[in-house]
Amino acid sequence: MSKEKHQLSPDKWVKLHADYLYNFTIGRINNHDLAKDLVQDTFFAGLKAMDNFQGLASERTWLVAILKRKIIDYYRKINSTKGKAEVKMNFYADGEREGDWIEERVPSSWNNEIEKNIENEELSVVLEKCINGLPEKYAMVFRMKTIEQLETDDICKELEITSSNLWVIIHRARTQLRKCMEDNWFKN
Amino acid sequence: MKLTCNEATTICDKSQYKQASFWEIIKLNIHLILCKKCGLYSKQNGIITKCIEKHKTDLNKQKMCLCEQEKKQMEQELKTKI
């Protein structure tokens, strides 16, 4: 009693899966054109790899697996481009005061209606802007870790970085996000 | 045993992902009692995490689509390769 095998029908891919794949991508890479290109690439790669399709998974699952690979490849490409602007840290990097707060970057108090503010619809928009404002590599690692909730080990393996490196990036990303949200959201 | 503010805030970030070790948490808590700046950072970091959670649910809710034009073009390009 064998289960019915799934079939591929590429002529219906765009109609059936384009929006789904696009949504999947946009949550991970917040850029319309790029997301669109990745979806298109996925379809092309799917065509090429049709012979490898064994019919065990559904067509969509299979396409998503290809897309995931494409997204990781994109991440890797960012990771390998050097010369990204270094962010200013919030801490003294050397001397006697190493690791202490720099006065002008000490967090300032936020107003008391914070909880109410979080329910506001606009929050997402501001937060997304702040994430996009991070250096590309930081934004990428931050999204992988925080939005996609990938395991630390998996991210490190894909990007060929050490876990302490990952935490430094997360730390810098969060420190910048905190500042950005302070300037654009909590301080009014 | 003593942490710099830089180390303390890093542990604080790790703990947002539940990945700080038991000892790190203890050291962090001692530091937080002594250091108001990091205390504030820690509190706000938790708020940022809440914001992100909210953002994530919003992301899941929003249904974004490619426009018909874009899909048509995609379909045409795909057809040339089938």
Side-chain angles (χ1 to χ4, degrees), chain A residues 66-99:
Chain A
I66 298 174
L67 175 61
K68 276 186 181 167
R69 208 50 247 170
K70 292 273 164 208
I71 293 173
I72 296 264
D73 286 346
Y74 168 74
Y75 284 156
R76 280 189 157 167
K77 214 165 73 197
I78 296 178
N79 192 43
S80 64
T81 49
K82 285 183 288 186
K84 292 273 172 274
E86 187 57 37
V87 278
K88 286 182 194 157
M89 281 297 286
N90 286 14
F91 302 96
Y92 291 104
D94 49 35
E96 220 170 277
R97 310 209 47 188
E98 187 178 342

Side-chain angles (χ1 to χ4, degrees), chain A residues 11 19 23 26 32 36 40 91 99 101 107-108 110 115 124 128 145-146 149 152 167 171 174 178, chain B residues 5-6 9-10 13 17 19 38 40 44-45 49-50 55-56 58 64 66 70-71 74-75 77:
Chain A
D11 50 319
D19 282 331
N23 258 298
I26 207 77
H32 171 78
K36 195 180 74 179
Q40 181 74 291
F91 302 96
W101 287 97
S108 52
W110 294 350
E115 300 293 331
S124 252
E128 189 58 50
K145 182 76 193 142
T146 319
Q149 292 175 293
T152 304
W167 286 114
H171 176 48
R174 289 191 79 105
R178 195 209 64 78
Chain B
C5 295
N6 195 2
T9 47
T10 301
D13 294 331
Y17 302 90
Q19 284 191 271
C38 286
L40 192 56
Q44 293 178 352
N45 208 9
T49 298
K50 272 193 198 163
H55 181 47
K56 268 198 291 203
D58 285 358
M64 303 224 275
L66 293 159
E70 287 169 321
K71 275 190 271 196
M74 227 180 219
E75 197 145 32
E77 281 181 46

Side-chain angles (χ1 to χ4, degrees), chain B residues 7-65:
Chain B
E7 289 163 337
T9 47
T10 301
I11 295 173
C12 174
D13 294 331
K14 276 191 189 177
S15 75
Q16 298 303 315
Y17 302 90
K18 310 235 178 318
Q19 284 191 271
S21 72
F22 180 68
W23 270 114
E24 284 179 324
I25 301 275
I26 292 192
K27 283 196 276 186
L28 173 65
N29 281 322
I30 294 171
H31 183 94
L32 291 186
I33 295 169
L34 303 170
C35 176
K36 284 224 163 62
K37 295 169 194 167
C38 286
L40 192 56
Y41 178 86
S42 174
K43 191 176 151 205
Q44 293 178 352
N45 208 9
I47 295 169
I48 294 289
T49 298
K50 272 193 198 163
C51 293
I52 295 164
E53 289 307 318
K54 168 77 167 48
H55 181 47
K56 268 198 291 203
T57 39
D58 285 358
L59 274 180
N60 287 335
K61 260 191 277 171
Q62 72 181 354
K63 280 274 162 279
M64 303 224 275
C65 295

Side-chain angles (χ1 to χ4, degrees), chain A residues 103-121:
Chain A
E103 280 78 0
E104 62 266 30
R105 303 222 177 85
V106 168
S108 52
S109 291
W110 294 350
N111 71 42
N112 292 324
E113 297 187 47
I114 296 274
E115 300 293 331
K116 211 171 83 194
N117 274 347
I118 294 177
E119 290 309 311
N120 192 312
E121 295 293 318

